[in-house]
Amino acid sequence: MRIIASTVATFALAGVAAAQSLPPPGATSCSGCHGTELSLEPFSAEEIVAALAAYRDGSREATVMDRIARGFTEEEGRAIAEWIAENRHED
Amino acid sequence: MKTDRRGFLAGSLALALAPGYLRAESTARIVVVGGGYGGATAARWLGALGHDVVLVEANRSYTSCPFSNTVLGGFGTMEELSFGYGDPGPVRVALNRAETVDTTGREVVLADGTALPYDRLVLAPGVDLLFDALEGYDEAAAGIMPHAWKAGPQTELLRRQLEAMEDGGVVAIVAPANPYRCPPGPYERACLIAHYLKEEKPRSKILILDAKDQFSKRPLFEEAWAELYPGMIEWVPMSAGGNVIRVEPEAMTIETDFERHEVDVANVIPPQSAGAIARAAGVADPTGWCPVDPGTFESTLVPSVHVLGDACFAGAMPKSAFSANAQAKVAALAIDAMLRDEAPPVPKLINTCYSLAAPDYGFTVAGVYAPQDGLIAEVEGSGGISPVGAPREVRQLEAEYARNWFNTITGEAFG
């Protein structure tokens, strides 16, 4: 628990403090679920954009992400995906 | 160095372990009162942004309300709910009770008389249970009819009562009117108590006496009750006489508008308000909750004071741990911008509330929110509940994700 927890915190905190860009609207909510568990780290920005689009139009099976993706436009989804990809850690 | 602050932070993966590194760069003093899901998250993010942060919390460790119903169900432990403040990164933790706030002099006064000056104050005190709101239900009554709406000894007491009850007993859950902490909580609790009773005391019954006619995720709960616990759970809505007007702990009776119920275990969840420190600071309105700006969570009543989580009135956002955590991050970024004389970003926020109907049976309500006309509104077309009638594999998957969520969010809030 301890090890998982500190890695998650690092991901989130490293993200918030990124040099280039402030998190776009909605992006900081993602780490409520997506940390070391349900991690987004393996995915590129393009993959996240595609997943959000497929959740939004219902072509990808979902539990909860379809209901969340529908709250964001394509542009908002892209901004979030790029921010997440930009702020993943490199270790 | 100053211009590189954010770049440095981004590269510093050991940030949370590097106390004091950045303090010299920030001159603003931020006090955060309350170390729950909202306050602990806000303190860590503000600390990571390079501010001088003191987190004021009366207890050495935090006991999570989310997942506390698993203890009542007999498959979770109190240890799994307990989180410390041992490694708060650059945040200083004051283990003390905040007594009052001088919002003119901008100081938080602690129980030992210490005054903590602030430039920005974050209040995340959670809820107070209103012991004078329901006749017969005072603090002493909670020792006989536990509320278990603040996890800890009350959770353990209710669990012991369930263990001691004979087969064939009646467990009453008294559910309050809106708004209150964790809208689906009473109904998840009915499920998980039923999960325990079904195995150990199958002739027992659960009676939910409700002050309302609707509740969160109702179609999903009713489906789960019928599927998993047929005949065990009876929900009595307000319009059918569910509204409780009096309790008598010694006699173990609960009186509604129409009837007097004698029960074996009584879980009374009373009406609630924002925590006392919010009322002392003058940020609560006559409803007992704290109106806030939807973009910054700054109080609309007192400047420079931000209110997060269950204590605030967040429009369409429910009072959940996920909401508190999401609000904390939005508020932290807003405070950071405001302290640099920049316009705070216009946020969007997400909420996802998991409920368990059994250890391997979960479902959700979710929503996406944005400021609209001075309040937080749900984004049209977003959100909603898990599909009714979904296959069991989907319920299993959401139960797994519920655990992932719990591990992730507690990691972010408590380290």
Side-chain angles (χ1 to χ4, degrees), chain B residues 266-327:
Chain B
N267 167 215
V268 177
I269 305 162
Q272 295 146 39
S273 74
I277 192 70
R279 286 176 283 132
V283 293
D285 72 12
T287 66
W289 307 101
C290 307
V292 292
D293 177 281
T296 63
F297 290 87
E298 184 171 10
S299 168
T300 58
L301 302 177
V302 181
S304 301
V305 181
H306 299 249
V307 189
L308 301 178
D310 292 349
C312 78
F313 172 65
M317 286 189 94
K319 297 186 185 303
S320 72
F322 197 113
S323 289
N325 169 267
Q327 292 163 5

Side-chain angles (χ1 to χ4, degrees), chain A:
Chain A
M1 184 70 189
R2 194 78 201 153
I3 294 159
I4 291 166
S6 84
T7 316
V8 171
T10 302
F11 171 71
L13 294 173
V16 67
Q20 302 82 354
S21 56
L22 281 171
T28 58
S29 285
C30 303
S31 59
C33 286
H34 295 287
T36 294
E37 298 188 25
L38 305 175
S39 176
L40 296 173
E41 297 232 348
F43 303 107
S44 70
E46 283 312 314
E47 286 169 324
I48 297 171
V49 168
L52 286 173
Y55 284 134
R56 194 180 303 115
D57 70 18
S59 59
R60 177 168 170 160
E61 265 191 56
T63 54
V64 70
M65 276 310 298
D66 52 343
R67 290 171 268 154
I68 290 169
R70 285 198 301 269
F72 295 91
T73 63
E74 199 184 324
E75 297 70 46
E76 288 173 330
R78 176 168 294 281
I80 291 171
E82 284 172 358
W83 184 78
I84 288 170
E86 220 173 81
N87 292 292
R88 72 184 73 243
H89 32 79
E90 307 293 342
D91 52 341

Side-chain angles (χ1 to χ4, degrees), chain B residues 2-204:
Chain B
K2 200 147 214 153
T3 50
D4 283 351
R5 176 168 66 97
R6 285 161 175 270
F8 169 78
L9 282 166
S12 172
L13 300 179
L15 174 68
L17 306 173
Y21 247 95
L22 302 153
R23 198 167 300 152
E25 292 192 15
S26 179
T27 50
R29 296 155 305 179
I30 300 170
V31 177
V32 179
V33 177
Y37 282 91
T41 302
R44 293 178 80 89
W45 276 59
L46 286 161
L49 287 162
H51 298 290
D52 180 1
V53 183
V54 181
L55 173 64
V56 180
E57 167 55 49
N59 300 303
R60 194 163 289 281
S61 68
Y62 179 74
T63 307
S64 171
C65 281
F67 268 71
S68 64
N69 285 332
T70 68
V71 174
L72 303 177
F75 59 94
T77 66
M78 293 303 292
E79 289 70 35
E80 290 163 347
L81 305 177
S82 182
F83 299 91
Y85 302 100
D87 175 22
V91 175
R92 284 174 292 149
V93 181
L95 283 176
N96 214 314
R97 182 174 297 281
E99 284 294 337
T100 191
V101 181
D102 171 2
T103 54
T104 311
R106 296 197 177 177
E107 284 183 340
V108 177
V109 181
L110 306 184
D112 65 3
T114 308
L116 296 175
Y118 65 83
D119 297 295
R120 289 271 159 185
L121 171 62
V122 177
L123 294 179
V127 299
D128 270 4
L129 303 168
L130 298 178
F131 282 114
D132 49 357
L134 174 61
E135 191 181 332
Y137 199 70
D138 55 18
E139 232 168 319
I144 301 167
M145 296 179 159
H147 52 77
W149 219 240
K150 293 194 176 192
Q154 279 276 304
T155 314
E156 295 176 286
L157 174 61
L158 183 52
R159 174 66 192 166
R160 284 198 304 275
Q161 292 181 346
L162 293 168
E163 284 171 351
M165 190 181 82
E166 308 233 336
D167 189 11
V170 174
V171 179
I173 298 174
V174 177
N178 292 321
Y180 61 96
R181 162 178 282 178
C182 191
Y187 315 96
E188 178 192 70
R189 177 168 290 179
C191 290
L192 297 190
I193 290 176
H195 168 77
Y196 163 69
L197 295 176
K198 188 182 173 184
E199 299 295 319
E200 305 288 331
K201 296 156 192 180
R203 294 189 299 113
S204 308

